[in-house]
Amino acid sequence: MQIAQTSPGTGSSPPRARMRSDAPSQLLDGSWRFRVSPSLRAAPGGEWDRADVSAWSTIEVPGHWNLQGHGSPAYSNVQMPFPLDPPFPPDANPIGDYVVEFEVDPDVAGHAAQTLRFDGIESAAEVRLNGAVLGTTRGSRLTHEFDATTALRPGTNRLAVRVAQFSDASYLEDQDMWWLPGIFRSVTLLARPASGIRDVFVRADFDAATGAGSLEIDVDADAEARIRIPELGVDAPARGTVAAGAVAPWSAESPRLYDAEVSTAGETVRIRVGFRRVEVRDTELLVNGAPIMLRGVNRHEHHPERGRVYDADFVRDELLLMKRHHINAIRTSHYPPHPDTLDLFDELGFWVIDECDLETHAFEYVGWRGNPSADPAWRDAYLDRMARTVHRDKNHASVIMWSLGNESHTGTNLDQMALWTKQFDPTRLVHYEGDWSCRYTDVYSRMYASHEEVRQIGEEGLAGPATDAAAAEARRASLPFLQCEFVHAMGTGPGGIREYWDLFEAYPRLVGGFVWEWAEQGLAVRGEDGTRRILYGGDFGEDVHDGNFVIDGLVSPDREPRPGLTHYAAVIAPVRLAVDAARASVDVANRFDHADLSGFELVWRRVVDGETVAEGRIPAPACPARSAAEVALPDEARAPRDAATADVLTVEAVTLADAPWAPAGHAIGAGQDARTPRAAAPAATADPAARFDETTGALRGLGALEITGPAIGIWRAPTDNDNGRLHGEADPRRVAERWEQAGYDRTVSRLVAFEADGGSARIRTRTAPPILDCGIDARLTYTAVGPAAVQLDVEIDPTGSWPVDWARLGLDLTIDAAPTGLAYAGLGPVSAAPDMVDGAAFGWWQIAPDDLTVDHIRPQESGARQGVVDATVETAAGALRIRALGDPFALTVSRAARAEIARAEHNWDLTADGKTHVSIDLAQYGAGTASCGPGALPRHRLAPGAFRASFLLEASA
Ligand code: GAL
């Protein structure tokens, strides 16, 4: 077996479309015999495929061997796990030998020919059938078919596949993910009938001006073929152009598909046709004549137990979850997914960038020296990968762009991939982010460009192509712009989505973006005590790894939404509602690209102090795509501007009918007008309600509740985004590092003065980081207003020169009992940071103890509720009610102390200390997205400054 070449695999049939055929097939998946050798040299040579396998172990196909007890997984991002020595893999390179014996099903054997199909083998394989070498594979996530006709025999057949974990192909497959070798997609034996159909390519065009559909058909068959689309009355020879008459177009919003069959005397294949036209006009991206907005995510194939093995129910469920969160576009980062996924994309409605299985990112470490993209020796390998990608998926309506791959820099091999693709399929656009000159791409694509740069790119589009610029620049300026990756959903965050989206909507050239990434790629294992734990890079003892950089999704590995998904969904919601409670009216903005609002209604609800006082539903206004209308609500919806109690009018646009992803009543947009007057300051009482530690000025208790604090807090347990470098900034150091260097995590407090008299106490403290001469002068005035209640007035004045912004400014206190819940009036129920609040609505929320903070796989600051005016922190020892007398506050309630959260590397290693940790924050630094991308925008940072706040604190049993 040869595993150090620059050429593609050998012996396979030319790539072709995936179709459903009436010819029989036989799935060879199941339990196979398996053995692994530590290197190719150590693996038995010669006729290894004829070995006695009775002593071999068994393995499930499809599957990855290192998730089935043979070796262990490894994660690296850009860096290769071995020296950059192309095309050679390292000597230490597990070689897996697979053997299965089977009898050919009679109905498969009864046909003229048989094809053996592999849908995915990582990374290189040699295929032997009954001793005959059928060929080899390259392109782990690509389909390879071999003609098995002459090698098959009656009775027992033996199929043997030798798989190298690493090979020359690994240099082209350096994607940011786990290295997971093996036959991880199905193996199928297909009958090939005489007069059968080898390949079909149907291009289904839609003319928005006339409403007519037409088909351009190429069939590769040994016999005359006909195409039939019964629903459209199409029944014609399957070649050239066929008119389809009036059709309903396909779009991600209305994914209308027509069943088509192509038949010869020997075979019938079925495909589903969606009519649509993709074009670029005047810097805009149009489908069916209308501009579209890509509300996207990057999707890897990942299952916490099975790796990249396809699980039909799991995948369908995750796509439904995307639809429920208004996601309408997917980039298949960074390889074509399992072929059935494309059927789901077509059926559920997603705009898809189908990406080739290609990434040579590791060469960036050496300034791209030796990069295969620019080396003609690898040309055929590149073209082979692209052809396999395009051919397999070419009949899918959802695919609107072909992507050459990811992060492979520039070079002639990429140019040639693009040229071939455009020639073969002019109905779609070519995407590639790695070449900003855009010489051969049809869209200008970038990743993680800052807000400011995106704005400039939008403006450049308004001006049109600059005539005096270099030709390449002029071409680039004429293209639509998208961010194939923007905002990095790692840990708490991402912040700044809304600001990006406002830009995308402001400039026609900007056609949206794809969040990196959909799901956290953690792998589940059982700990010694039998509990399930999610692991990341380094946890399997890898020498080379990139830690938790693989945990960066909008959903957990088990597809539980992280707060970022809720906020993203709100930003991209297809309907935006601006509610005016005083006028009892709502401005409805329809942000769909094609659909009107006839499938929706508006549901409104007016809630006063937590009680619903009026509600109703009215039809959505007649409002074509990308237009707005004002709707009057009934009089009961009206709330006086000077309401004395909290008076909240919420309007949602909801679906009228069941959709595959959600039953009727699913919200596709929401807006609210919340009036939340502050509690009035009660009269002072003479008897003290609070107990103090007169040596520190801190509380010891309120009423019967044991409380310690408050201390002034300016630090948070670093988030993944706090740990990202601030590229392009004057000081690019990680903000977490700067906080730590400045000592914000270990401030000390000195009592300046303590005065108590009757029901009131006045405390002055100075809180400062060690080493430096800056500090915070705090004046805390407590006034008893009941037997267990105080008014707390806070005055904060920083002095001196501070080296870096504060992470937050809060009053941190600890209650000496574990939390049992949180009830609050404020923005929620989802937790939020100041720059990620869109998915939170004002309400009266009850939070269960497990939901107080977010169970991030690497623990970090999380769980803040913003805009809180009234909260009751419930603990095993009683409750503490906190009401804002002035501005609302951000509230964090946690079972673990910040230092412990910062220490723990994994959620299963985080210890709750039996106390309730409460932070009442007057201000916070935004989340940003610096784990990959810009930090918090300046407006969401927190410069040291003076603050004033007043609260009512009340303890109850
Ligand atoms: C991009 C890359 C992705 C991922 C991301 C960071 O550069 O294309 O694959 O690595 O960065 O998570």
Side-chain angles (χ1 to χ4, degrees):
M1 185 188 189
Q2 171 58 266
I3 52 171
Q5 60 191 41
T6 55
S7 45
T10 54
S12 59
S13 325
R16 62 188 186 121
R18 175 58 51 104
M19 301 167 291
R20 308 226 178 264
S21 166
D22 66 349
S25 64
Q26 181 177 350
L27 204 57
L28 299 181
D29 293 353
S31 188
W32 292 32
R33 288 290 182 170
F34 181 74
R35 94 177 148 199
V36 69
S37 309
S39 74
L40 188 56
R41 283 199 186 90
E47 296 186 336
W48 63 266
D49 53 318
R50 294 186 190 269
D52 173 4
V53 296
S54 54
W56 292 18
S57 55
T58 56
I59 195 167
E60 279 306 299
V61 171
H64 303 283
W65 74 65
N66 57 359
L67 298 184
Q68 295 186 60
H70 303 276
S72 56
Y75 162 63
S76 68
N77 173 14
V78 180
Q79 52 186 343
M80 295 297 277
F82 51 80
L84 210 52
D85 180 22
F88 303 99
D91 279 353
N93 180 16
I95 303 294
D97 289 338
Y98 291 78
V99 168
V100 68
E101 297 194 334
F102 63 96
E103 295 196 1
V104 182
D105 290 349
D107 55 347
V108 173
H111 280 277
Q114 288 77 27
T115 290
L116 191 56
R117 182 176 72 199
F118 295 89
D119 278 316
I121 305 179
E122 181 172 327
S123 81
E126 181 186 80
V127 180
R128 297 188 181 194
L129 183 58
N130 299 324
V133 177
L134 298 187
T136 60
T137 68
R138 290 296 188 280
S140 300
R141 273 66 62 173
L142 301 169
T143 293
H144 295 81
E145 291 184 333
F146 299 92
D147 184 353
T149 319
T150 51
L152 282 174
R153 57 167 77 125
T156 304
N157 288 268
R158 175 180 273 214
L159 173 61
V161 184
R162 172 163 281 190
V163 180
Q165 162 148 14
F166 299 116
S167 68
D168 46 85
S170 309
Y171 291 97
L172 307 190
E173 297 176 4
D174 180 30
Q175 292 98 339
D176 178 5
M177 60 191 193
W178 296 94
W179 298 95
L180 297 175
I183 305 177
F184 74 96
R185 288 187 190 153
S186 290
V187 182
T188 320
L189 187 65
L190 308 166
R192 300 304 311 130
S195 307
I197 297 170
R198 227 196 57 76
D199 197 9
V200 171
F201 186 14
V202 174
R203 280 147 285 176
D205 182 53
F206 178 73
D207 184 340
T210 62
S214 71
L215 304 162
E216 191 67 37
I217 308 163
D218 289 321
V219 173
D220 181 359
D222 300 332
E224 274 303 299
R226 287 191 80 75
I227 184 164
R228 290 190 190 83
I229 306 180
E231 214 183 329
L232 295 172
V234 170
D235 185 348
R239 76 183 103 83
T241 310
V242 172
V247 298
W250 187 94
S251 73
E253 290 165 9
S254 311
R256 180 67 160 92
L257 294 167
Y258 294 90
D259 289 322
E261 358 180 285
V262 176
S263 332
T264 59
E267 186 177 14
T268 295
V269 296
R270 282 175 294 120
I271 55 173
R272 291 184 303 178
V273 167
F275 294 89
R276 48 132 191 74
R277 184 184 293 176
V278 182
E279 337 162 60
V280 167
R281 212 189 293 155
D282 297 333
T283 78
E284 289 192 69
L285 172 61
L286 311 183
V287 177
N288 303 332
I292 63 165
M293 183 66 93
L294 302 171
R295 305 168 157 97
V297 290
N298 281 278
R299 178 180 178 275
H300 265 285
E301 291 189 300
H302 184 77
H303 184 287
E305 265 85 15
R306 305 186 70 200
R308 285 188 283 276
V309 175
Y310 184 74
D311 177 324
D313 292 338
F314 189 77
V315 172
R316 175 175 269 272
D317 284 351
E318 75 175 336
L319 298 182
L320 298 181
L321 187 64
M322 288 184 196
K323 289 292 283 189
R324 286 200 288 279
H325 289 86
H326 322 311
I327 288 160
N328 74 354
I330 293 173
R331 173 175 177 234
T332 70
S333 53
H334 301 297
Y335 44 82
H338 186 282
D340 292 352
T341 321
L342 276 291
D343 292 322
L344 294 171
F345 293 162
D346 288 351
E347 185 186 312
L348 298 173
F350 290 99
W351 307 117
V352 172
I353 301 184
D354 196 350
E355 191 150 275
C356 184
D357 192 356
L358 177 73
E359 175 161 341
T360 66
H361 207 167
F363 291 85
E364 190 172 13
Y365 275 102
V366 295
W368 298 103
R369 192 166 54 241
N371 182 20
S373 302
D375 179 350
W378 295 88
R379 172 185 176 274
D380 293 351
Y382 274 61
L383 287 172
D384 181 71
R385 282 168 186 265
M386 196 65 203
R388 288 182 192 280
T389 301
V390 171
H391 278 291
R392 196 197 72 176
D393 295 342
K394 63 196 170 193
N395 291 320
H396 287 281
S398 53
V399 178
I400 59 166
M401 295 185 207
W402 300 114
S403 178
L404 306 183
N406 187 55
E407 297 188 310
S408 303
H409 199 49
T410 57
T412 158
N413 298 331
L414 291 158
D415 295 38
Q416 297 197 31
M417 286 167 103
L419 280 176
W420 176 83
T421 306
K422 281 168 188 287
Q423 220 158 33
F424 177 76
D425 181 14
T427 67
R428 285 150 172 133
L429 308 180
V430 169
H431 169 273
Y432 178 59
E433 187 274 344
D435 189 352
W436 298 358
S437 77
C438 299
R439 278 176 305 125
Y440 49 73
T441 57
D442 299 314
V443 287
Y444 177 25
S445 174
R446 291 279 302 277
M447 47 174 82
Y448 311 108
S450 68
H451 296 82
E452 179 52 21
E453 190 177 6
V454 168
R455 189 184 61 73
Q456 284 166 9
I457 292 168
E459 281 181 357
E460 185 182 54
L462 288 184
T467 45
D468 55 347
E473 241 169 82
R475 174 172 161 68
R476 187 179 65 208
S478 72
L479 302 179
F481 174 82
L482 62 88
Q483 290 238 75
C484 68
E485 295 176 27
F486 84 115
V487 296
H488 196 244
M490 188 176 184
T492 297
I497 306 179
R498 174 61 178 263
E499 289 84 352
Y500 273 118
W501 218 270
D502 288 348
L503 292 167
F504 296 163
E505 294 199 329
Y507 300 99
R509 182 191 190 190
L510 309 184
V511 298
F514 297 77
V515 171
W516 187 269
E517 65 179 305
W518 166 244
E520 298 171 353
Q521 300 178 53
L523 287 175
V525 298
R526 294 274 156 199
E528 282 150 24
D529 57 356
T531 54
R532 186 169 176 270
R533 295 172 166 183
I534 301 288
L535 302 191
Y536 51 74
D539 290 339
F540 295 96
E542 306 103 292
D543 290 335
V544 173
H545 67 83
D546 287 292
N548 72 326
F549 207 58
V550 76
I551 307 291
D552 54 359
L554 291 172
V555 295
S556 75
D558 293 315
R559 278 36 177 186
E560 301 141 331
R562 298 296 191 202
L565 179 62
T566 306
H567 297 299
Y568 186 42
V571 171
I572 62 178
V575 171
R576 210 170 256 179
L577 300 165
V579 180
D580 186 331
R583 292 179 49 229
S585 81
V586 51
D587 285 333
V588 180
N590 175 2
R591 302 156 86 214
F592 281 116
D593 300 321
H594 294 100
D596 62 23
L597 295 185
S598 52
F600 307 94
E601 65 177 343
L602 302 182
V603 178
W604 62 270
R605 191 175 347 104
R606 186 172 157 218
V607 179
V608 174
D609 260 351
E611 298 298 325
T612 301
V613 297
E615 60 189 324
R617 46 189 68 228
I618 54 172
C623 196
R626 295 195 176 210
S627 72
E630 190 185 334
V631 176
L633 298 173
D635 234 31
E636 315 92 85
R638 193 181 306 275
R641 269 196 205 289
D642 53 355
T645 46
D647 198 331
V648 181
L649 177 60
T650 306
V651 186
E652 286 180 337
V654 303
T655 52
L656 283 167
D658 292 344
W661 53 90
H666 182 68
I668 55 149
Q672 95 180 162
D673 188 357
R675 284 142 215 279
T676 55
R678 296 304 160 263
T685 55
D687 295 335
R691 298 182 300 286
F692 296 93
D693 176 340
E694 295 185 15
T695 67
T696 62
L699 276 175
R700 284 212 328 254
L702 184 62
L705 206 58
E706 301 290 314
I707 297 179
T708 312
I712 305 293
I714 55 172
W715 181 70
R716 67 187 180 202
T719 65
D720 292 316
N721 286 315
D722 296 338
N723 278 321
R725 280 181 70 78
L726 297 170
H727 294 284
E729 298 204 15
D731 188 342
R733 282 178 300 159
R734 302 175 297 120
V735 69
E737 177 190 332
R738 297 185 63 195
W739 288 333
E740 203 185 303
Q741 274 171 9
Y744 290 5
D745 56 333
R746 47 191 190 279
T747 53
V748 284
S749 197
R750 173 167 64 81
L751 180 62
V752 177
F754 182 95
E755 289 166 32
D757 108 51
S760 81
R762 284 167 302 284
I763 292 140
R764 284 175 50 214
T765 58
R766 178 180 164 89
T767 303
I771 308 166
L772 304 176
D773 62 358
C774 51
I776 293 170
D777 290 331
R779 279 178 302 284
L780 272 58
T781 306
Y782 294 86
T783 312
V785 293
V790 289
Q791 174 173 338
L792 169 60
D793 299 301
V794 183
E795 294 164 86
I796 299 284
D797 290 291
T799 60
S801 154
W802 291 78
V804 56
D805 290 338
W806 294 338
R808 58 191 184 87
L809 175 67
L811 304 174
D812 299 343
L813 43 92
T814 309
I815 303 172
D816 207 12
T820 54
L822 166 67
Y824 75 99
L827 298 178
V830 65
S831 60
D835 55 350
M836 47 179 290
V837 288
D838 294 87
F842 190 91
W844 287 261
W845 308 112
Q846 179 69 48
I847 309 297
D850 282 347
D851 298 329
L852 290 171
T853 54
V854 181
D855 188 24
H856 285 299
I857 293 167
R858 189 191 73 80
Q860 52 198 282
E861 184 88 20
S862 73
R865 264 66 186 194
Q866 301 289 330
V868 179
V869 293
D870 186 352
T872 302
V873 179
E874 296 150 1
T875 79
L880 176 67
R881 186 171 183 194
I882 309 158
R883 276 183 285 175
L885 290 171
D887 289 340
F889 53 96
L891 182 67
T892 307
V893 180
S894 169
R895 286 167 163 158
R898 277 199 175 80
E900 166 62 9
I901 296 172
R903 181 206 59 81
E905 294 287 341
H906 292 90
N907 51 358
W908 37 266
D909 182 34
L910 180 70
T911 323
D913 56 11
K915 298 183 174 160
T916 301
H917 302 268
V918 180
S919 288
I920 306 164
D921 286 346
L922 280 44
Q924 292 183 337
Y925 189 98
T929 185
S931 53
C932 189
L937 286 166
R939 77 194 80 152
H940 298 304
R941 295 189 181 186
L942 177 55
F947 284 85
R948 302 285 179 268
S950 294
F951 308 98
L952 287 177
L953 305 181
E954 186 175 4
S956 59

